[in-house]
Amino acid sequence: MSDSYMQDQAEQLAQHLRLTDGKSGHVEATADGFQVFIRKKWPGKLLASWDGMPVEWHLNVGTNKAANR
C-alpha cells in the first residue's frame, strides 16, 4: 500500500475515533498498521483492525505524545 493511502486511512480512523481536536490523541500510520495514541483511558471498544490492518493502542500517554509534538 502506498504511503498516501495509509496516511489517508489514518486520518479517517482519527475522524472515526473523534481525535481531531489536536490534544486528546492522534493516529500514526506505519508499515505494520496503525498506532493510536490517547491521553486518557478509552471509554469505548478498542478496535483491533482498520481497513484490514492491525491497530495498536497506546493509552495514558503524555500530553506531548498525544498531541504529536
Side-chain angles (χ1 to χ4, degrees):
M1 289 185 217
S2 69
D3 286 340
S4 62
Y5 176 78
M6 287 296 287
Q7 196 62 27
D8 188 44
Q9 289 299 313
E11 290 174 17
Q12 288 184 21
L13 177 56
Q15 289 178 356
H16 176 75
L17 298 174
R18 295 185 176 99
L19 299 176
T20 56
D21 64 359
K23 297 183 287 186
S24 58
H26 76 280
V27 179
E28 287 182 5
T30 64
D32 299 327
F34 301 100
Q35 294 192 12
V36 179
F37 296 90
I38 308 285
R39 271 187 61 207
K40 299 177 181 177
K41 184 176 183 214
W42 189 249
K45 182 181 178 185
L46 301 179
L47 297 173
S49 66
W50 179 261
D51 193 40
M53 299 291 288
V55 176
E56 184 177 344
W57 291 81
H58 303 277
L59 305 175
N60 297 319
V61 300
T63 303
N64 287 342
K65 185 63 177 174
N68 196 21
R69 293 183 199 155

